[in-house]
């Protein structure tokens, strides 16, 4: 069995292992990491050899840590990363490059339709009718998107939303509220087979699925990092938030994961605090003391137009994993439009947590 794991902000760890009679055999750790002394690699392999195959990642990491020679130095590598690579091997996890990725980047669409497309496209991936998909959103109207479990009245000021013509929708994933206007954010979704994150904890799956965009930002001169559980940050503060939803496949078969991210490009902070009840608290982690300022970390840090940032992100993904141009099928669009009408614009869904 073969497992791979890219340590967030680090290097690739590869593990080849067999499982016989419920224990690990012939464990071989490799990768492009740096490790001193050389004997530490044999120590890792030895620590994992004979371990019960059902040992969780924390238990495997503890075995590795305990076996390392005194003074071991690891660069781009962690004991946890080795353990996760083992778990991914045992779970028969797939890798990014195992798939023919498809890009969807179409014209502006309504907030409710975006919510529906996330659900429909991820369900299609779960059913095996659609390849793994990167979808970049364009917004047709300003919106507040609240998390699946948030209280509508606690998050949104209805008078402020009405005054600014802001549509309020609820998404299928958890997490916090987002305030968007056309041109002020960069939002994308990944709809991926569950096998891509097999062997990863819920938290580790966020870091794993965010890793490519950290590389894309790095290509633009921005040093960014994953900040548990679901944020992307730089030394200027938080610049993005992610959310996930698991969708089960037909008949309870392994399904798909929706992972979507909204990145701050240029936000009207004054308007945001009039629409979101907790807007002032949201500004505190962006280093903004006055609500009358604009929050523009990506515009300021890249010096690039929003469209150029998106283009560079797409090209970075394509260079890493391959990416073919795709489109939403007529059947997918029809189903999404039905969901937008019957679910995502309904008071029953939007106010399901009043």
């Amino acid at each position: 069995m073969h497992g791979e794991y890219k340590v967030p902000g680090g290097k690739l760890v590869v593990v080849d292992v067999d499982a016989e009679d419920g224990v690990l055999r012939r464990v071989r750790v490799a990768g492009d990491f740096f490790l001193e002394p050389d004997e530490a690699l044999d120590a890792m392999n030895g620590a994992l050899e004979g371990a019960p195959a059902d040992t969780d990642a924390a238990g495997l990491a503890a075995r590795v840590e305990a076996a390392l020679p005194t003074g071991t130095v690891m660069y781009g590598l962690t004991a946890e990363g080795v353990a996760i690579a083992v778990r991914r091997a045992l779970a028969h996890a797939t890798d990014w490059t195992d798939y023919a990725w498809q890009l969807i980047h179409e014209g502006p669409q309504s907030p409710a339709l975006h919510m529906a497309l996330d659900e429909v496209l991820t369900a299609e991936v779960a059913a095996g009718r659609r390849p793994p998909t990167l979808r970049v959103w364009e917004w047709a109207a300003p919106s507040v998107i609240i998390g699946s479990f948030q209280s509508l009245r606690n998050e949104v000021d209805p008078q402020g939303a009405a005054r600014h013509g802001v549509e309020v929708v609820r998404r299928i994933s958890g997490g916090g509220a987002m305030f968007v206007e056309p041109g002020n954010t960069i939002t994308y979704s990944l709809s991926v087979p569950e096998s891509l994150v097999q062997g990863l904890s819920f938290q580790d799956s966020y870091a794993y699925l965010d890793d490519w965009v950290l590389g894309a930002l790095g290509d633009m001169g921005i040093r960014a990092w994953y900040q548990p559980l679901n944020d992307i940050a730089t030394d200027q503060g938080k610049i993005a938030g992610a959310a996930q939803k698991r969708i089960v496949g037909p008949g309870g078969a392994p399904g798909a994961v929706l992972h979507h991210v909204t990145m701050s490009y240029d936000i009207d902070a004054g308007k945001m605090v009039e629409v979101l009840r907790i807007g002032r608290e949201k500004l505190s982690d962006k280093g903004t003391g006055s609500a009358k300022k604009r929050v523009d970390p990506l515009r300021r840090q890249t010096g690039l137009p929003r469209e150029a940032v998106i283009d560079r992100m797409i090209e970075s993904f394509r260079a890493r994993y391959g990416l073919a141009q795709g489109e939403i099928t007529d059947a997918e669009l029809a189903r999404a439009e039905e969901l937008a009408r019957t679910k995502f614009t309904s008071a029953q869904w939007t106010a399901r947590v009043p």
Side-chain angles (χ1 to χ4, degrees):
M1 291 172 281
H2 180 85
E4 297 185 1
Y5 179 65
K6 171 69 164 53
V7 176
K11 299 294 185 176
L12 181 69
V13 182
V14 180
V15 171
D16 291 286
V17 61
D18 296 322
E20 295 177 355
D21 300 323
V23 298
L24 305 184
R25 296 297 185 200
R26 292 175 288 281
V27 182
R28 299 171 300 281
V29 178
D32 61 352
F33 48 79
F34 299 91
L35 179 65
E36 293 288 349
D38 284 355
E39 292 76 21
L41 185 62
D42 291 334
M44 286 183 189
N45 292 332
L48 296 168
E49 188 74 24
D54 60 356
T55 307
D56 63 14
L60 294 173
R63 291 176 71 107
V64 170
E65 288 279 6
L68 291 174
T70 301
T72 294
V73 176
M74 296 187 286
Y75 182 77
L77 173 69
T78 63
E80 292 77 12
V82 173
I84 290 170
V86 172
R87 294 309 317 167
R88 284 176 60 76
L90 296 172
H92 300 283
T94 54
D95 185 66
W96 294 84
T97 54
D98 292 334
Y99 299 104
W101 289 87
Q102 188 172 106
L103 169 68
I104 293 176
H105 187 193
E106 300 190 345
Q109 292 159 321
S110 71
L113 186 58
H114 278 306
M115 304 303 107
L117 283 169
D118 262 359
E119 181 170 334
V120 168
L121 297 183
T122 307
E124 290 297 289
V125 172
R129 293 187 291 264
R130 161 170 285 281
T133 300
L134 167 64
R135 182 171 73 91
V136 180
W137 303 21
E138 297 293 346
W139 295 91
S143 179
V144 165
I145 304 94
I146 60 174
S148 181
F149 310 108
Q150 288 188 295
S151 162
L152 177 61
R153 69 166 65 98
N154 288 347
E155 298 298 322
V156 182
D157 183 321
Q159 287 75 32
R163 183 165 61 252
H164 293 293
V166 173
E167 182 177 347
V168 180
V169 293
R170 185 185 295 274
R171 62 182 184 270
I172 62 173
S173 62
M178 309 183 314
F179 170 71
V180 301
E181 294 180 286
N184 78 359
T185 62
I186 296 171
T187 306
Y188 67 86
S189 301
L190 288 169
S191 296
V192 306
E194 190 176 6
S195 58
L196 185 63
V197 296
Q198 284 292 334
L200 299 179
S201 68
F202 190 74
Q203 176 173 322
D204 288 334
S205 72
Y206 273 86
Y208 185 69
L209 294 176
D210 279 340
D211 190 66
W212 76 273
V213 81
L214 301 184
L217 291 169
D219 293 343
M220 289 180 271
I222 298 177
R223 189 178 74 85
W225 57 87
Y226 164 71
Q227 185 168 291
L229 170 66
N230 61 333
D231 290 342
I232 296 172
T234 71
D235 56 8
Q236 302 288 318
K238 174 181 172 180
I239 63 169
Q244 288 186 3
K245 175 69 176 179
R246 265 66 172 171
I247 292 182
V248 178
V257 178
L258 167 67
H259 179 92
H260 44 201
V261 173
T262 291
M263 311 178 76
S264 300
Y265 179 76
D266 181 10
I267 294 178
D268 185 331
K271 188 179 295 184
M272 183 176 77
V273 298
E274 293 181 24
V275 174
L276 292 179
R277 294 192 186 280
I278 59 171
R280 293 183 187 275
E281 287 80 356
K282 283 183 173 292
L283 289 179
S284 66
D285 65 359
K286 298 179 175 64
T288 303
S290 169
K292 297 305 179 183
K293 294 182 179 179
R294 298 186 73 88
V295 181
D296 62 347
L298 282 181
R299 186 183 67 169
R300 183 175 64 256
Q301 292 184 58
T302 65
L304 296 170
R306 174 180 175 274
E307 294 75 14
V309 174
I310 291 173
D311 287 345
R312 293 197 184 191
M313 288 172 57
I314 290 171
E315 287 310 310
S316 182
F317 190 103
R318 180 175 286 119
R320 284 170 168 79
Y321 310 125
L323 189 63
Q325 186 63 46
E327 61 182 15
I328 300 167
T329 68
D330 291 342
E332 290 168 341
L333 182 59
R335 176 62 180 144
E337 288 175 337
E338 178 187 6
L339 271 180
R341 178 177 57 82
T342 61
K343 178 178 180 178
F344 291 105
T345 56
S346 72
Q348 182 179 10
W349 171 256
T350 304
R352 76 185 188 100
V353 182

